Every structure is written in structure tokens, then in C-alpha cells.
């Protein structure tokens, strides 16, 4: 199954129209810089990036399904494998490493990025790393900037269109001095399709 999924991602990437990766990275970087100037608060910027990503994800999923003709995934584990090996490959030409939480009750997987095309040419200012709360002067904790937070929104939006309500968040980022860039995606619940009244 895993080899077939990976081969599907490779095949779709070969058939996809390409744009210049450097232009893409610089355009995204300019967007983030403008949001930082507009909001002057990294938490608000993270929220805006997530909202933008969510809106993109709700639309990208249609393109993804049309190009892949993938059927419904059997479980959340398969959702993660398809997302990592087909979705990321088809749209960004990367395949993050995926690891599943061993606790079957906690339907969660982690995506670890060896490369991140959104973060090319980026260096964050020191104040963007986030800070713990200070007990001495009462300064609240700051989560800092999650530069690629748009990806969390894309995943949330796309999976919601497929009846999976999830949370997606970065837990580490090499831009912030961490050893890895890692995102965690957790299933909150399956969304039941509701038939409108009178449409039995």
C-alpha cells in the first residue's frame, strides 16, 4: 500500500504544471512580512495564516480528488499516509516523514519535514521564536511566529471537506532553532453528513 501511494504521488507530480520554486517561496515570504507589519502580533499572524490555509484547503481538495481518483480512506492512518505521500508530493514536491501515535485511542500522526519550500531564504528575527511566561514581571508567554502555519490551515480545510475534523499545529521548526520541523495532526471527530429535511 505504502509503495503504491508513494508512486501515485510521484506520477501526479510529473503531470502537474510547475511554477518557479524560488518565486513561490519569495511570494509567500512577502505575504508573511506584510501580515507581521499589519498585525504587529505573531499570534494574530499565525491565526491569519491558518485561516488563509483553511480557505485554500477547502478548494484544493477538489483538485486533489479529481487528479488522483483516490477512493475513501479506510482509517485515519491511511489518511495520514495519503496526505504525506500524495498530497504534499502533488502540490509541493516534498514527502514529509510520517509517524503515527502508538496509542490507538489517540488518532494522531506527526509529519516531519526534511525540507520546507515555504521557508527557503527565511531568517526569523529573534523576537519571533516565542517566549515563556515571566514570573518576575508577569509578562505572558508568546507562542512566536509559526512561519509555515498556512500548511496547518490547508490540512484542516481539506480534511474537513472529507468529513474529518482535525487539529493541526507545528510543534517545532528549524527556523526557530529546533532540530526538526514537525507538525502534529490529530483527529477530533468524524463529521456526519446531514441530509437536509425533506431530502430523504
Amino acid at each position: 500500500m505504502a509503495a503504491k501511494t508513494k508512486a501515485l504521488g510521484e506520477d501526479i507530480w510529473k503531470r502537474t504544471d510547475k511554477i518557479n520554486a524560488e518565486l513561490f517561496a519569495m511570494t509567500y515570504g512577502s505575504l508573511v512580512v506584510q501580515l507581521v507589519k499589519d498585525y504587529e502580533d505573531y499570534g494574530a499572524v499565525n491565526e491569519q495564516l491558518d485561516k488563509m490555509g483553511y480557505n485554500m484547503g477547502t478548494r484544493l481538495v477538489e483538485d486533489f480528488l479529481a487528479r488522483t481518483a483516490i477512493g475513501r480512506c479506510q482509517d485515519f492512518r491511511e489518511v495520514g499516509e495519503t496526505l504525506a505521500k500524495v498530497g504534499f508530493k502533488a502540490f509541493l514536491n516534498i514527502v514529509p516523514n510520517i509517524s503515527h501515535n502508538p496509542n490507538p485511542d489517540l488518532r494522531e500522526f506527526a509529519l516531519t519535514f526534511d525540507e520546507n519550500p515555504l521557508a527557503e531564504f527565511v531568517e526569523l528575527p529573534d523576537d519571533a521564536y516565542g517566549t515563556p511566561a515571566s514570573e518576575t514581571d508577569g509578562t505572558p508567554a508568546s507562542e512566536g511566529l509559526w512561519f509555515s502555519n498556512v500548511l496547518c490551515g490547508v490540512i484542516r480545510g481539506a480534511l474537513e471537506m472529507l468529513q474529518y475534523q482535525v487539529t493541526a499545529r507545528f510543534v517545532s521548526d528549524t527556523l526557530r532553532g529546533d532540530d526538526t520541523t514537525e507538525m502534529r495532526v490529530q483527529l477530533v471527530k468524524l463529521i456526519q453528513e446531514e441530509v437536509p429535511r425533506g431530502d430523504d
Side-chain angles (χ1 to χ4, degrees):
M1 170 67 185
K4 183 179 175 185
T5 304
K6 189 172 182 181
L8 178 60
E10 292 285 344
D11 181 55
I12 292 168
W13 175 251
K14 288 176 189 170
R15 294 183 282 129
T16 300
D17 292 334
K18 315 291 190 290
I19 65 166
N20 182 295
E22 291 177 2
L23 176 64
F24 175 69
M26 289 170 40
T27 303
Y28 179 75
S30 296
L31 168 74
V32 176
V33 167
Q34 189 60 53
L35 287 172
V36 169
K37 287 179 182 174
D38 290 347
Y39 288 92
E40 299 178 352
D41 173 55
Y42 292 129
V45 172
N46 293 337
E47 190 177 314
Q48 289 304 311
L49 290 171
D50 183 77
K51 284 180 184 176
M52 288 178 189
Y54 177 87
N55 290 330
M56 287 189 281
T58 60
R59 290 164 179 80
L60 282 175
V61 72
E62 292 176 23
D63 182 50
F64 174 79
L65 293 173
R67 287 201 276 161
T68 62
I70 287 182
R72 191 156 192 74
C73 292
Q74 299 302 310
D75 55 26
F76 196 61
R77 181 180 205 70
E78 190 177 338
V79 168
E81 296 289 330
T82 303
L83 177 68
K85 294 176 181 164
V86 184
F88 274 97
K89 182 66 180 181
F91 291 106
L92 292 174
N93 193 28
I94 60 171
V95 180
N97 298 311
I98 184 166
S99 56
H100 298 275
N101 193 309
N103 181 347
D105 296 331
L106 194 63
R107 295 180 286 186
E108 177 183 67
F109 57 85
L111 300 171
T112 306
F113 299 84
D114 293 330
E115 57 185 311
N116 180 354
L118 297 180
E120 296 289 322
F121 320 113
V122 176
E123 189 174 315
L124 296 181
D126 291 340
D127 68 336
Y129 292 4
T131 56
S134 171
E135 293 180 18
T136 56
D137 67 4
T139 306
S142 162
E143 67 177 312
L145 177 64
W146 294 105
F147 187 81
S148 302
N149 212 44
V150 71
L151 296 176
C152 294
V154 168
I155 290 170
R156 278 190 329 101
L159 292 183
E160 191 171 299
M161 293 295 100
L162 301 173
Q163 274 87 40
Y164 296 97
Q165 183 181 349
V166 301
T167 60
R169 62 187 174 84
F170 278 99
V171 294
S172 64
D173 191 341
T174 55
L175 289 176
R176 295 164 57 124
D178 298 317
D179 293 334
T180 61
T181 298
E182 182 179 315
M183 177 196 296
R184 296 219 179 116
V185 180
Q186 183 174 14
L187 178 64
V188 176
K189 67 177 183 177
L190 293 173
I191 302 168
Q192 300 299 318
E193 287 189 274
E194 294 182 9
V195 178
R197 287 187 162 168
D199 286 2
D200 294 337

